[in-house]
Coordinates of all heavy atoms in Angstrom, one line a residue:
I72 N 6.5 1.2 -8.0 CA 5.3 0.7 -7.2 C 4.6 -0.3 -8.2 O 4.1 -1.4 -7.7 CB 4.5 1.8 -6.8 CG1 5.2 2.6 -5.7 CG2 3.1 1.3 -6.3 CD1 4.7 3.9 -5.4
L73 N 4.3 0.2 -9.4 CA 3.6 -0.7 -10.3 C 4.3 -2.0 -10.6 O 3.7 -3.0 -10.8 CB 3.2 0.1 -11.6 CG 2.2 1.2 -11.5 CD1 2.2 2.1 -12.7 CD2 0.8 0.5 -11.3
V74 N 5.6 -2.0 -10.8 CA 6.4 -3.2 -11.1 C 6.3 -4.1 -9.9 O 5.9 -5.3 -10.1 CB 7.9 -2.9 -11.4 CG1 8.8 -4.1 -11.3 CG2 8.0 -2.2 -12.7
S75 N 6.4 -3.6 -8.8 CA 6.4 -4.5 -7.6 C 5.0 -5.1 -7.4 O 4.9 -6.3 -7.1 CB 6.7 -3.6 -6.3 OG 6.6 -4.4 -5.1
F76 N 4.0 -4.3 -7.6 CA 2.6 -4.8 -7.4 C 2.3 -5.8 -8.5 O 1.7 -6.9 -8.2 CB 1.6 -3.6 -7.5 CG 0.2 -4.0 -7.3 CD1 -0.3 -4.3 -6.1 CD2 -0.7 -4.1 -8.4 CE1 -1.7 -4.7 -5.9 CE2 -2.0 -4.5 -8.3 CZ -2.5 -4.8 -7.0
T77 N 2.7 -5.5 -9.7 CA 2.4 -6.4 -10.8 C 3.1 -7.8 -10.7 O 2.5 -8.8 -10.9 CB 2.9 -5.8 -12.2 OG1 2.2 -4.5 -12.3 CG2 2.7 -6.7 -13.4
L78 N 4.4 -7.8 -10.3 CA 5.1 -9.0 -10.1 C 4.5 -9.9 -9.0 O 4.4 -11.1 -9.0 CB 6.6 -8.8 -9.8 CG 7.3 -8.2 -11.1 CD1 8.8 -7.9 -10.7 CD2 7.2 -9.1 -12.3
E79 N 4.1 -9.2 -7.9 CA 3.5 -9.9 -6.8 C 2.1 -10.5 -7.2 O 1.9 -11.7 -6.8 CB 3.3 -8.9 -5.6 CG 3.0 -9.6 -4.3 CD 4.0 -10.6 -3.8 OE1 5.2 -10.4 -4.0 OE2 3.6 -11.7 -3.3
V80 N 1.2 -9.8 -7.8 CA -0.1 -10.4 -8.2 C 0.1 -11.4 -9.3 O -0.6 -12.4 -9.2 CB -1.1 -9.3 -8.6 CG1 -1.4 -8.4 -7.4 CG2 -0.7 -8.5 -9.8
A81 N 1.1 -11.3 -10.2 CA 1.3 -12.3 -11.2 C 1.9 -13.5 -10.5 O 1.5 -14.7 -10.9 CB 2.3 -11.8 -12.3
K82 N 2.8 -13.4 -9.6 CA 3.4 -14.5 -8.9 C 2.3 -15.4 -8.3 O 2.5 -16.7 -8.3 CB 4.4 -14.0 -7.9 CG 5.2 -15.1 -7.2 CD 6.3 -14.6 -6.2 CE 5.6 -14.2 -5.0 NZ 6.6 -13.8 -3.9
V83 N 1.4 -14.8 -7.6 CA 0.4 -15.6 -6.9 C -0.8 -15.9 -7.7 O -1.8 -16.5 -7.3 CB -0.1 -14.9 -5.6 CG1 1.2 -14.8 -4.6 CG2 -0.7 -13.6 -5.8
D84 N -0.8 -15.4 -9.0 CA -1.9 -15.6 -9.9 C -3.2 -15.1 -9.4 O -4.2 -15.8 -9.4 CB -2.0 -17.1 -10.4 CG -2.8 -17.3 -11.7 OD1 -2.9 -16.3 -12.4 OD2 -3.2 -18.4 -11.9
A85 N -3.2 -13.8 -8.9 CA -4.3 -13.3 -8.2 C -5.4 -13.0 -9.2 O -5.2 -12.7 -10.4 CB -3.9 -11.9 -7.7
A86 N -6.7 -13.3 -8.8 CA -7.8 -13.1 -9.6 C -8.0 -11.6 -9.7 O -7.7 -10.8 -8.9 CB -9.0 -13.8 -8.9
V87 N -8.8 -11.2 -10.8 CA -9.0 -9.8 -11.1 C -9.8 -9.2 -9.9 O -9.5 -8.0 -9.5 CB -9.7 -9.6 -12.4 CG1 -10.3 -8.2 -12.6 CG2 -8.8 -10.0 -13.6
G88 N -10.7 -9.9 -9.3 CA -11.5 -9.4 -8.2 C -10.7 -9.1 -7.0 O -10.8 -8.1 -6.4
S89 N -9.6 -9.9 -6.8 CA -8.7 -9.7 -5.7 C -7.9 -8.4 -5.9 O -7.6 -7.7 -5.0 CB -7.7 -10.9 -5.4 OG -8.5 -12.0 -5.1
I90 N -7.4 -8.3 -7.2 CA -6.6 -7.1 -7.6 C -7.4 -5.9 -7.3 O -6.9 -4.9 -6.8 CB -6.1 -7.3 -9.0 CG1 -5.1 -8.4 -9.1 CG2 -5.5 -5.9 -9.5 CD1 -4.7 -8.9 -10.5
R91 N -8.7 -5.9 -7.8 CA -9.5 -4.7 -7.6 C -9.7 -4.4 -6.2 O -9.6 -3.2 -5.7 CB -10.9 -4.9 -8.2 CG -10.9 -4.9 -9.7 CD -12.3 -5.1 -10.3 NE -12.4 -4.9 -11.7 CZ -12.3 -3.8 -12.4 NH1 -12.3 -2.7 -11.8 NH2 -12.3 -3.8 -13.7
S92 N -9.9 -5.4 -5.3 CA -10.1 -5.2 -3.9 C -8.8 -4.6 -3.3 O -8.9 -3.6 -2.5 CB -10.4 -6.5 -3.2 OG -11.6 -7.0 -3.6
M93 N -7.6 -5.1 -3.6 CA -6.3 -4.6 -3.1 C -6.2 -3.1 -3.5 O -5.9 -2.3 -2.7 CB -5.2 -5.4 -3.6 CG -5.0 -6.7 -2.9 SD -3.4 -7.5 -3.5 CE -4.0 -8.5 -4.9
L94 N -6.5 -2.8 -4.8 CA -6.3 -1.4 -5.2 C -7.3 -0.5 -4.5 O -7.0 0.7 -4.2 CB -6.4 -1.3 -6.7 CG -5.3 -2.0 -7.5 CD1 -5.6 -2.0 -9.0 CD2 -4.0 -1.4 -7.2
E95 N -8.5 -1.0 -4.3 CA -9.5 -0.2 -3.6 C -9.0 0.1 -2.2 O -9.1 1.2 -1.6 CB -10.8 -0.9 -3.5 CG -11.6 -0.8 -4.7 CD -12.8 -1.7 -4.8 OE1 -13.2 -2.3 -3.8 OE2 -13.5 -1.8 -5.8
E96 N -8.4 -0.9 -1.5 CA -7.8 -0.7 -0.1 C -6.7 0.3 -0.2 O -6.5 1.0 0.8 CB -7.3 -2.0 0.4 CG -8.4 -3.0 0.9 CD -7.9 -4.3 1.4 OE1 -6.7 -4.4 1.8 OE2 -8.5 -5.3 1.2
Y97 N -6.0 0.3 -1.3 CA -4.9 1.3 -1.4 C -5.4 2.7 -1.6 O -4.6 3.7 -1.7 CB -3.9 0.9 -2.4 CG -3.2 -0.4 -2.2 CD1 -2.6 -1.2 -3.2 CD2 -3.1 -1.0 -0.9 CE1 -2.0 -2.3 -3.0 CE2 -2.5 -2.2 -0.7 CZ -1.9 -2.9 -1.7 OH -1.3 -4.1 -1.5
G98 N -6.7 2.8 -1.8 CA -7.3 4.2 -2.1 C -7.3 4.6 -3.6 O -7.5 5.8 -3.9
A99 N -7.2 3.6 -4.5 CA -7.2 3.9 -5.9 C -8.6 4.2 -6.4 O -9.5 3.5 -5.9 CB -6.6 2.8 -6.7
S100 N -8.8 5.1 -7.3 CA -10.0 5.4 -7.8 C -10.5 4.3 -8.8 O -9.7 3.5 -9.2 CB -10.0 6.7 -8.6 OG -9.2 6.6 -9.8
A101 N -11.8 4.3 -9.2 CA -12.3 3.4 -10.1 C -11.6 3.4 -11.5 O -11.3 2.4 -12.1 CB -13.8 3.5 -10.3
T102 N -11.2 4.6 -11.9 CA -10.6 4.8 -13.2 C -9.2 4.2 -13.1 O -8.7 3.5 -14.1 CB -10.4 6.3 -13.5 OG1 -11.8 6.9 -13.5 CG2 -9.8 6.5 -14.9

Side-chain angles (χ1 to χ4, degrees):
I72 292 162
L73 286 167
V74 166
S75 176
F76 182 77
T77 300
L78 293 176
E79 192 58 36
V80 296
K82 180 175 84 173
V83 298
D84 199 18
V87 169
S89 298
I90 294 170
R91 285 184 178 281
S92 296
M93 284 187 270
L94 292 175
E95 285 171 3
E96 286 178 26
Y97 297 159
S100 69
T102 305

